[in-house]
Amino acid sequence: MTNFVPTREDKFSFGLWTVGWQGVDVFGGAVRPPLSPAEAVHKLAELGAYGITFHDNDVFPFGCTPAERDQHLTPFRRALEETGLAVPMVTTNLFSHPVFRDGGFTNNDRDVRRFAIRKVADNLDLAAELGARTFVAWGGREGAESGAAKDVRTALDRYKEAFDVLGSYAIEQGYDIRFAIEPKPNEPRGDILLPSIGHALAFINELEHAELVGLNPEVGHEEMASLNYAHGLAQALWHGKLFHIDLNGQHGPRYDQDLRFGAGNARGAFWTVDTVENGGYDGPRHFDFKPPRTEDMAGVWESAKACMRNYLILREKSRAFRADPEVQQALRDARVDQLAQPTLSQGETIATLRAEDFDPEEAGRRGMAFERLDQLALEHLYGVAG
Amino acid sequence: MTNFVPTREDKFSFGLWTVGWQGVDVFGGAVRPPLSPAEAVHKLAELGAYGITFHDNDVFPFGCTPAERDQHLTPFRRALEETGLAVPMVTTNLFSHPVFRDGGFTNNDRDVRRFAIRKVADNLDLAAELGARTFVAWGGREGAESGAAKDVRTALDRYKEAFDVLGSYAIEQGYDIRFAIEPKPNEPRGDILLPSIGHALAFINELEHAELVGLNPEVGHEEMASLNYAHGLAQALWHGKLFHIDLNGQHGPRYDQDLRFGAGNARGAFWTVDTVENGGYDGPRHFDFKPPRTEDMAGVWESAKACMRNYLILREKSRAFRADPEVQQALRDARVDQLAQPTLSQGETIATLRAEDFDPEEAGRRGMAFERLDQLALEHLYGVAG
Amino acid sequence: MTNFVPTREDKFSFGLWTVGWQGVDVFGGAVRPPLSPAEAVHKLAELGAYGITFHDNDVFPFGCTPAERDQHLTPFRRALEETGLAVPMVTTNLFSHPVFRDGGFTNNDRDVRRFAIRKVADNLDLAAELGARTFVAWGGREGAESGAAKDVRTALDRYKEAFDVLGSYAIEQGYDIRFAIEPKPNEPRGDILLPSIGHALAFINELEHAELVGLNPEVGHEEMASLNYAHGLAQALWHGKLFHIDLNGQHGPRYDQDLRFGAGNARGAFWTVDTVENGGYDGPRHFDFKPPRTEDMAGVWESAKACMRNYLILREKSRAFRADPEVQQALRDARVDQLAQPTLSQGETIATLRAEDFDPEEAGRRGMAFERLDQLALEHLYGVAG
Amino acid sequence: MTNFVPTREDKFSFGLWTVGWQGVDVFGGAVRPPLSPAEAVHKLAELGAYGITFHDNDVFPFGCTPAERDQHLTPFRRALEETGLAVPMVTTNLFSHPVFRDGGFTNNDRDVRRFAIRKVADNLDLAAELGARTFVAWGGREGAESGAAKDVRTALDRYKEAFDVLGSYAIEQGYDIRFAIEPKPNEPRGDILLPSIGHALAFINELEHAELVGLNPEVGHEEMASLNYAHGLAQALWHGKLFHIDLNGQHGPRYDQDLRFGAGNARGAFWTVDTVENGGYDGPRHFDFKPPRTEDMAGVWESAKACMRNYLILREKSRAFRADPEVQQALRDARVDQLAQPTLSQGETIATLRAEDFDPEEAGRRGMAFERLDQLALEHLYGVAG
């Protein structure tokens, strides 16, 4: 057993807005003091993270002048240099200011849409300059509370237009950066456009620069729609579109809880890590959580540390699970290996199938042996296996 | 006000398994006698439907010989002839027999997958013969209750293989038929593959004969995942993939209720009809519901009749809503028209946007006037508008 | 058809915090200017409301001196006098200030609990002085995100203690006021204590002054837990405990949407009004909603007006439904009247039942005729009945 | 570490209908052969259970004669004798036969209600004879899919009447047995009466023989309504009403999954065991699950064994958690101990509170240290603590 202490090789990153969340919600105000970006960088570096990510307005205020922007960026950049922390991902805030009350890229107001695209382009310049390879787009205010307010097909036209324009811009500028769309079903809008991994994957296929655009799926966002996050990751991987991930915790369909990774759906977290580790994803393990409002700053750092620790614990469990000979036998007993064989062999056709003798009654009596397999997985989670 | 009596021009169709459901559920047995397919045809024709749809084993038993099959089909065909009812869609039962306990196309057992493809091909022949233009694929048992039992990426390979094989077969046979995938998030499996409209749309893009494959979204299936059905339809239309629809009623995330259309989410039903009628869909208005187990056959026919009646009522309301000058003004006040304008004009670039003067504070004070618009819609639903 | 314009006899009331909500949520800041309590009073009076309700800190700031408090109250009182608006209900804010991060009455910190009780007592004095007859207690921060943090049984002891102390205080002071507990399942806490109407009803039975304590159920809070709000109201009425109601709109299990009444679950709203009007409730029809963040102040007032208008529309529909002879026949056909007859007649025992001849097979063939009855209700909602 | 092999002292019991479920659901037929009650008894005894429970019609067919009943009971009784297995609980099937399509105790049809009460009384005689101390009442078909079909207040009158009549009967017969109501929010009815632990607790207070009636809460039933099961158990214990428990697994609001205990919400299962073990409950640990339809009989027994094993694993973890000095310190740091102190000391009043000096700003800066505590709990679940 390792001691579960993260190193930079583990590629853990955090959003500035996570440890920096002051606790403002619909029902109450700030419970924690502001956290300066530089302090966040130093503290996260110390805890073992390799990267930090941010929205533009996590570092500098909305609407500030270029000079003010630089002034705010200076200590942040210095902290990055001092710690060697990377900025693997940057994202834009198109949801906090009143101007985005109806979203950015799909706002009914054309001038707001133009402003939103410009704001993202400006931030893309900064992202490129800081060496970020992923640019996340969470369209949290793109949506509607009511049926007539948003013509969805037209909104998707505008959504596509924004990504086409920005994709072209990134190419023209020669930026080595890819976009990652973060789906969410609802909150803060009644229904958000591109509500799940699937919807976003489908949308990307219609883009001019589809190769530049992938996904940034978040645990809680899928689970709010009762969807299986690990299944969603697997489908995104199958399409070659898992560009980034947002790890946190949630208890099913309710408000967006943003619990620390591991809290929430514990078995789901195991399969998440198993899928991330074995599915060919090699990007950052990025945490997008909110330390509960009950905590002070000590609690904030406890929860941040625990995100990484839980990932490492689950990674070790996933490895042990996959290496366990009993598990390997149980996988064969469940014929998981058979699924990897093409259903038809080379040259076979429907006629081949029709010619063959198959007894569905006999086959119908076969058990799948899934319960045994799943119990082994659970015992690995419990730490009582082997 | 019309009398809301359906005609064949309204293109209403019903699954045989809807009015024919005998009420078997997890907690109880049949409460209604079997309904012969021929009787269902006659009765639905009488009520004003234009079409009937079926799974193979709604008409003839699983595993019967070709002779037995024909024997079962004879009275059904005769009833179709007598009534002139169409068979616009056919689908295959890959979920009731024990052999499909782990699904059909993605069953871990290769021989079961082969059998499933063959069963579908056989049924495709029948569908073509009966003139069906849509072949629905609901993979209700394709999924898992536990994490290791199903390798999702491999399962998607097999899923794709099945559609590729069957698409080729349909082309070779010269069938004028398209496939429509019906997504569902869960039930009867813990998590079903292709759980939402979005996931299925994305999947289709990877198929060899993607042009042959679209969607058959069901109201309740999307609402079980808290997703907005009308938004889903709109995205499917945007991708040119709304091939068929399944109308019914549901009360959010819980068991699959299959209420009659109109019962359940009433406002959702209004926007569903509005989207279907105005979004360019011209296929059947197909009902996939289950008359509650409380009902006898009289109640079954009441509920079937009500499905069509409610659609007609909502269609009239949608037309009145769109024609109402007050609504048209409210749509302009909400700048819904502005969304149809491209965000950038011909020749404009990021540089253009950066050069323009925009005051986000002023724009941030603008209300969207959505509440007024939505209240007008609600009053049309209530029948108190104008 | 009436014109659906509210009068004071309709007993509509609004929380100050509803029309006064500036739009702060987890993802963004204020989008609307502050609304002074006096202005809210004038505007609501003008729109036809009869009453206004408030949390202490909706009118005066947390922690202000008595002199400051009076200064803030003066224009509010004057507006009440000028308009004749009533204050039928008052409630206390035990959730916004950081001191309540772990709740008030069940905070782990004893000194915070003491402060919470004192804050409520102070506000109870004000409520009595303003003539309020109901004092609502929403324990929004009483709960937990994690399992060990809150010992639920001990927390219920403290919860009971608070109501016992405050009940005694109200009696000693001779206040003619009753407490109404407002249940909620979650948000802003992961799990809130007394999460549903049922849990709160059960809790009340253990209180020293149970007769003083009832419920204030909110539409959205029950629907967030997939519970039927009208059923919940009916059970609360059955226990004689429906002291107050909070009307708004919600779309099932997700974040607390607080839509205007009528928006959300439209059929649920019909049954809600039907239950409120016919179930013996005669208190205020109180709206606890949040005008969406998309709206400016004009939209705020549109939505407030619509809350009342929708109630009146649904009240008329409920009356028409109950008066419709076709409905009355359908109710008899569904044997709803038989449910009102005691199952055993005077003097009958199990022995009587055992002696009787009953054919379950015959009875099992009877349909309940519920679909026809429900379709009539739906057509009344649509405005196409009769 | 123990070997997690159950003994009779662990008091594990299973419903006959759990391991005996043949897999019939809405979408498919039986996948497993019938299991004779006697065989179930022998096999469960062998696996380490101490008890078995049943619905009347799990052992003998609906409507059979007394002679047939005895004939079916004989091998079952013999198996009980041979194995020494107890029958700690019995329950009645008021939901499978068509006669119960609208429920039993609250069926609109009076003759069906009379039959339902008689059926329960007959089964109560059997329960007493077999030495059962708990008689469970799950009213799965008591409810409605539509608003007018069921007058909830009247239905509660009839529900109460049934328990009053049956309570009196049990007393007259001198039976040493208590009733336990099992709440469920929905499925198979659209909305079920007494939908949660809270609603049932409240209802019991109105019964004539309230002391005879308590609860049988089921994990999945509460979680289907997004409610915290362990919190619900705690409230039931607080009211002295936890008479029996139904353990299984569920993934939030969706169809009733009845997964084996431990599968589903793993962290919830930990807190469930912790609450059961430390909350004063000493009844059977009863499993009410359904082995997934994918399994053959070998899989059925694997899953049954795993239910017990998982309980034992979690019991050991709960003990270790409570004994861990680091946890005990963390509990103090979170001031969980302070919650056990009455908020007011003997003789204190509101006046005392008003006189004291309290600085909410200072108190508002205190963190609750819950994240650290919860992380320790999670590490005990993972088996990496200490």
Side-chain angles (χ1 to χ4, degrees), chain D residues 175-366:
Chain D
Y175 292 156
D176 183 17
I177 203 164
R178 297 190 303 178
F179 296 86
I181 295 176
E182 180 175 329
K184 190 176 183 186
N186 58 67
E187 194 193 1
R189 299 306 301 272
D191 291 291
I192 298 179
L193 298 170
L194 309 180
S196 81
I197 287 175
H199 295 77
L201 286 169
F203 169 76
I204 291 167
N205 275 297
E206 310 293 333
L207 302 182
E208 260 175 40
H209 308 290
E211 73 289 355
L212 282 189
V213 188
L215 285 205
N216 177 46
E218 177 167 322
V219 176
H221 294 181
E222 300 303 308
E223 295 189 353
M224 286 162 70
S226 299
L227 298 172
N228 184 311
Y229 182 64
H231 281 207
L233 290 185
Q235 184 166 352
L237 284 163
W238 189 71
H239 291 276
K241 288 297 187 189
L242 190 62
F243 284 10
H244 199 264
I245 50 172
D246 269 7
L247 299 171
N248 60 18
Q250 176 74 15
H251 284 110
R254 63 181 62 182
Y255 75 101
D256 187 10
Q257 297 193 275
D258 280 341
L259 301 168
R260 75 185 190 282
F261 183 64
N265 177 358
R267 301 202 73 204
F270 175 83
W271 296 114
T272 291
V273 172
D274 187 70
T275 303
V276 167
E277 293 293 319
N278 301 311
Y281 175 76
D282 66 355
R285 275 64 173 161
H286 182 252
F287 300 105
D288 185 0
F289 81 116
K290 287 193 175 60
R293 207 173 167 275
T294 50
E295 303 304 297
D296 59 12
M297 286 310 298
V300 166
W301 301 120
E302 280 293 337
S303 63
K305 210 167 57 180
C307 284
M308 296 185 282
R309 187 166 160 82
N310 292 340
Y311 190 96
L312 293 176
I313 291 169
L314 291 169
R315 189 177 70 188
E316 184 174 279
K317 288 183 182 299
S318 161
R319 286 175 184 166
F321 173 73
R322 294 290 166 189
D324 181 346
E326 217 174 337
V327 169
Q328 289 163 358
Q329 183 58 49
L331 284 163
R332 282 188 297 272
D333 292 344
R335 288 92 78 192
V336 173
D337 51 349
Q338 268 195 48
L339 190 61
Q341 298 170 33
T343 302
L344 273 67
S345 302
Q346 191 72 25
E348 288 191 324
T349 65
I350 299 291
T352 327
L353 302 180
R354 280 175 174 156
E356 85 187 344
D357 204 31
F358 173 76
D359 179 359
E361 302 309 322
E362 179 279 324
R365 281 188 292 272
R366 292 179 209 151

Side-chain angles (χ1 to χ4, degrees), chain A residues 227-278:
Chain A
L227 298 171
N228 184 311
Y229 182 65
H231 281 206
L233 290 185
Q235 183 165 352
L237 284 162
W238 188 70
H239 291 276
K241 288 296 187 191
L242 190 62
F243 285 9
H244 199 264
I245 51 172
D246 269 8
L247 300 171
N248 60 16
Q250 176 75 15
H251 285 110
R254 61 181 63 181
Y255 76 100
D256 188 9
Q257 296 192 276
D258 280 341
L259 300 168
R260 76 186 190 282
F261 183 64
N265 176 359
R267 301 203 73 203
F270 175 83
W271 296 114
T272 292
V273 172
D274 186 71
T275 303
V276 168
E277 291 294 317
N278 300 311

Side-chain angles (χ1 to χ4, degrees), chain A residues 101 109-111 113-114 122 157-158 206 238 334-335 338-339 341-344 348 354 364 366, chain B residues 101 109-111 113-114 122 157-158 161 238-239 335 338-339 341-343 348 354 364 366:
Chain A
R101 65 209 308 159
D109 282 335
R110 185 172 184 255
D111 59 354
R113 296 198 301 272
R114 291 169 71 89
D122 288 350
D157 285 341
R158 296 292 80 73
E206 310 292 333
W238 188 70
R335 289 92 79 191
Q338 268 194 48
L339 191 60
Q341 298 169 34
T343 302
L344 273 68
E348 289 192 323
R354 281 176 172 157
R366 293 180 208 150
Chain B
R101 66 209 307 159
D109 282 336
R110 185 171 184 255
D111 58 355
R113 297 199 299 271
R114 292 168 71 89
D122 288 350
D157 285 341
R158 294 292 81 73
E161 184 188 1
W238 189 70
H239 290 276
R335 287 92 79 190
Q338 268 194 49
L339 191 61
Q341 297 170 34
T343 302
E348 288 191 324
R354 280 174 173 158
R366 292 180 210 151

Side-chain angles (χ1 to χ4, degrees), chain A residues 2-187:
Chain A
T2 76
N3 54 5
F4 308 121
V5 174
T7 68
R8 300 213 170 177
E9 287 64 46
D10 297 318
K11 298 183 88 164
F12 292 125
S13 57
F14 286 84
L16 256 184
W17 67 93
T18 65
V19 292
W21 185 55
Q22 292 185 253
V24 177
D25 65 20
V26 175
F27 305 98
V31 295
R32 290 188 287 259
L35 174 70
S36 82
E39 192 184 340
V41 168
H42 278 286
K43 189 70 187 174
L44 288 170
E46 191 184 303
L47 295 179
Y50 103 110
I52 194 157
T53 70
F54 62 90
H55 302 89
D56 44 1
N57 303 139
D58 296 335
V59 183
F60 48 88
F62 179 96
C64 70
T65 64
E68 287 163 347
R69 194 187 86 136
D70 287 343
Q71 207 176 329
H72 280 93
L73 278 166
T74 303
F76 179 60
R77 286 184 208 265
R78 190 163 45 227
L80 291 172
E81 276 161 33
E82 286 166 359
T83 58
L85 225 58
V87 175
M89 182 272 273
V90 167
T91 183
T92 314
N93 185 325
L94 297 181
F95 47 86
S96 293
H97 191 275
V99 75
F100 300 125
R101 65 209 308 159
D102 186 39
F105 294 164
T106 67
N107 197 300
N108 281 358
D109 282 335
R110 185 172 184 255
D111 59 354
V112 176
R113 296 198 301 272
R114 291 169 71 89
F115 174 66
I117 291 178
R118 184 219 300 186
K119 190 170 193 276
V120 173
D122 288 350
N123 204 29
L124 199 52
D125 294 348
L126 176 61
E129 186 198 324
L130 290 169
R133 304 288 299 275
T134 305
F135 197 87
V136 161
W138 174 59
R141 300 265 184 211
E142 320 290 337
E145 285 74 38
S146 51
K150 195 62 55 181
D151 182 296
V152 171
R153 286 174 298 147
T154 311
L156 291 174
D157 285 341
R158 296 292 80 73
Y159 224 160
K160 167 176 158 52
E161 184 187 0
F163 281 100
D164 289 349
V165 166
L166 288 162
S168 296
Y169 178 74
I171 291 169
E172 285 158 22
Q173 301 295 314
Y175 293 155
D176 183 18
I177 202 164
R178 298 190 303 178
F179 296 86
I181 296 176
E182 180 176 327
K184 191 176 183 186
N186 58 68
E187 194 193 0

Side-chain angles (χ1 to χ4, degrees), chain C residues 62-80:
Chain C
F62 180 95
C64 70
T65 65
E68 287 163 347
R69 194 187 85 139
D70 288 342
Q71 207 176 329
H72 281 91
L73 278 166
T74 302
F76 179 60
R77 286 184 209 263
R78 190 164 44 227
L80 291 173

